[in-house]
Amino acid sequence: MTTGAPVAEAARFAPGTFAPAPGRGRLGRMLLTQARTETLLTLRNGEQLLVTLIIPLALLVALCVMHVVPVPEPRAGSATARVFALAVLSSAFTGQAIALGFDRRYGVLKRLAATALPRWLLVAGRLTAALAVVAVQIVVLSVAAILLGWDVPLSGVPWTLLLLLLGTLSFGALGVLLGGSLRAEIVLALANVVWFLLVMIGGVALGVDSLPSWLATVVNLLPSAALAEGLHSAVVDGTAPGPGPVVVLLVWGAAAAALATRTTRLS
Amino acid sequence: MSPNPPSPAVDVSGLVKRYGATVAVNGLDLVQQRGTVLALLGPNGAGKTSTVEICEGFRSADAGTVRVLGLDPATDGDRLRPRVGVMPQGGGAYPGVHAAEMLGVVASCAADPHDPAWLLDVLGLTSAARTPYKRLSGGQQQRLSLACALVGRPELVFLDEPTAGMDPQARRLVWDIVRALRADGVTVLLTTHLMDEAEALADHVVIVDGGRVVASGTPRELTAGDPDDQQLRFRARPGLDTRLLTSALPEGLVVREPSPGGYLVQGLIDPQVVSTVTSWCAQQGVLAEEMQVAKRSLEDVFLELTGRELR
């Protein structure tokens, strides 16, 4: 049944229903809501879960149990260091880049940029979500590693956390650089290819010392090898990483972030 | 409170936007008073979305000035955005996010948002609240996008093609919401290529084509046209002598038969003319059927101004 427009209107919305009361929400609540949503989206996405948790877990088990790839003793500790680096590479770089590519495709950045959310908070929210996902990965992988015989050197824990933070920031900036400017399909392809290359010859699955020396020199300058090497000191020996890996991570991260601020587009 | 009258809600003058060699907006002027509904009407590619996105602060202007609620969207975005609701063309959300989660994220950005559950219910999205965005239908995505535009209780909303892809029932709902917004003092700037939408909702219609304003005014002003140039249409047996009928009518009126059995009287139509036509037909032993005095539609106006159909 249809009635006249004014009647329908009166019945539908009481006067004052849409009376303006604009204003910006609390910064903490905005950050928390955005970060929580993005974390949940990652953790319930099947493909993301495969790359952030299943593959690192599988590699951890393979490196510890199967003797196909040369891994220095103590085997479980060395494997753990490499798999922590893989976890950061997978989620902060590959996962981030692909998610950003498709988020742009689906217009979410534009949607959020049209709200009262300040731009810096848009970045902070993504960063917080990336750190939250890495935290989940590290907890799960640590439990598995301990079960597989990783002897945790307590003196290395602060260094491990610091390196994971630095690695997440550096790889996150690289992920944003890749995911923020190209078409979603190209991002998907490139992010996976780069991930595969870095895992195979970037000092993650295979140690740098297993590579030919000419290649090792180059690979040592990659962020993947730097993170794996730094983590090896902290996770196996419980000592501070040398300045080399830290500098490599800082330079890659800073360069990527500087470039990304110019190239990243909302849609 | 303020001694000065409030600035217009939207004030655009001499706006130019180019994409490479293409000029999307070419010296566009537009003023919208607060609490009114303005429709930017024009075909695809007329420059509507570019204009709106410059007002929203998403794009920069190549020339001209833009003030929204008295602020420059290019430099004062942080102060402007909390006061404005935006429904971008084609919506926007994380591909895997549930409808309710997305509305929650946008609601968290506002100081005193509407209850998201209520808004989902109003827009008929309660059953889709836990559906991932990419699995929503086009119409559902549009409704979620509208919810996101409204949840922060804005004083000004930009709706870019708000009813695109919606079924008639949802379209009706959007119209009711726009009317309710206006009644509550919210300023609404919408773009559309649907004449009936502009005629039904807008206080002020700005017709754009090729990046310029080709006409603007109230729907009544735009469709009133020349009072001496009205039309009376009726149907009767084909082949009536139109010269005879013309001579029976007051001077200045012309009768034609553009299609067999379809007659058109042009000139100043008053009740006397209608009565004369009816009785003349009766004298010929025919019944004048489907008699109507035609009002110009915005579609006619657009056709006259540009020589092209709106769609």
Side-chain angles (χ1 to χ4, degrees), chain A residues 197-198 201-203 208-209 211-227 229 244 248 252:
Chain A
L197 287 176
L198 290 183
I201 57 166
V208 178
D209 41 14
L211 298 170
S213 64
W214 60 271
L215 188 58
T217 321
V218 181
V219 168
N220 265 323
L221 296 175
L222 293 177
S224 49
L227 183 59
E229 188 194 328
V248 169
W252 276 97

Side-chain angles (χ1 to χ4, degrees), chain B residues 1-310:
Chain B
M1 301 248 275
S2 160
N4 300 319
S7 56
V10 180
D11 192 348
V12 173
S13 87
L15 182 64
V16 175
K17 179 66 189 175
R18 297 184 202 91
Y19 301 105
T22 311
V23 181
V25 183
N26 190 5
L28 186 136
D29 301 310
L30 181 161
V31 176
Q32 178 177 18
Q33 297 308 325
R34 296 189 188 216
T36 63
V37 176
L38 183 145
L40 266 183
L41 176 69
N44 292 331
K48 305 188 297 288
T49 296
S50 292
T51 302
V52 169
E53 291 197 341
I54 290 168
C55 291
E56 292 163 355
F58 281 134
R59 294 181 189 281
S60 57
D62 290 314
T65 56
V66 175
R67 291 289 176 278
V68 177
L69 301 174
L71 300 168
D72 182 347
T75 56
D76 267 331
D78 280 349
R79 283 207 290 160
L80 180 60
R81 280 183 281 114
R83 300 168 63 187
V84 174
V86 172
M87 179 178 178
Q89 200 171 56
Y94 302 97
V97 78
H98 299 161
E101 287 174 328
M102 189 64 213
L103 190 56
V105 170
V106 177
S108 78
C109 300
D112 179 24
H114 286 291
D115 175 10
W118 170 79
L119 205 49
L120 286 175
D121 185 44
V122 163
L123 285 157
L125 289 169
T126 303
S127 62
R130 289 187 52 80
T131 305
Y133 180 74
K134 62 184 171 189
R135 292 215 204 103
L136 295 175
S137 72
Q140 287 174 322
Q141 291 186 347
Q142 283 285 85
R143 279 181 272 152
L144 177 61
S145 182
L146 178 61
C148 290
L150 300 180
V151 73
R153 301 184 195 267
E155 58 185 282
L156 164 65
V157 290
F158 291 108
L159 309 177
D160 199 354
E161 306 265 358
T163 58
M166 284 188 182
D167 59 39
Q169 200 185 349
R171 221 171 135 222
R172 179 86 213 172
L173 169 67
V174 173
W175 287 18
D176 283 349
I177 289 175
V178 170
R179 291 189 179 116
L181 287 167
R182 182 181 178 280
D184 286 337
V186 179
T187 308
V188 180
L189 193 159
L190 61 92
T191 74
T192 182
H193 56 255
L194 303 172
M195 281 72 53
D196 59 340
E197 191 155 285
E199 274 185 288
L201 297 178
D203 300 297
H204 199 85
V205 177
V206 175
I207 303 180
V208 289
D209 185 46
R212 296 174 164 277
V213 174
V214 292
S216 77
T218 64
R220 188 184 286 264
E221 284 165 359
L222 287 169
T223 55
D226 182 350
D228 291 339
D229 183 23
Q230 293 171 317
Q231 297 180 342
L232 172 70
R233 292 172 186 275
F234 64 96
R235 299 197 65 81
R237 191 187 73 212
L240 294 175
D241 189 338
T242 53
R243 278 179 310 161
L244 264 180
L245 176 54
T246 301
S247 60
L249 288 168
E251 200 156 322
L253 287 157
V254 185
V255 185
R256 290 186 295 123
E257 187 183 356
S259 61
Y263 295 88
L264 174 64
V265 184
Q266 275 180 302
L268 177 60
I269 309 295
D270 59 18
Q272 189 58 48
V273 171
V274 178
S275 150
T276 306
V277 170
T278 318
S279 52
W280 183 85
C281 287
Q283 282 165 24
Q284 309 295 313
V286 296
L287 181 64
E289 293 178 309
E290 299 176 28
M291 189 175 270
Q292 54 173 317
V293 180
K295 182 171 148 280
R296 295 201 317 167
S297 68
L298 282 176
E299 192 157 17
D300 299 327
V301 175
F302 187 81
L303 188 65
E304 279 168 32
L305 291 167
T306 67
R308 289 187 292 111
E309 300 280 345
L310 194 47

Side-chain angles (χ1 to χ4, degrees), chain A residues 171-216:
Chain A
F171 277 108
L174 286 162
V176 170
L177 177 63
L178 177 59
S181 54
L182 302 171
R183 278 188 33 205
E185 288 77 12
I186 299 173
V187 172
L188 181 65
L190 277 179
N192 281 314
V193 167
V194 172
W195 177 87
F196 186 75
L197 287 176
L198 290 183
V199 170
M200 297 315 282
I201 57 166
V204 178
L206 269 179
V208 178
D209 41 14
S210 310
L211 298 170
S213 64
W214 60 271
L215 188 58

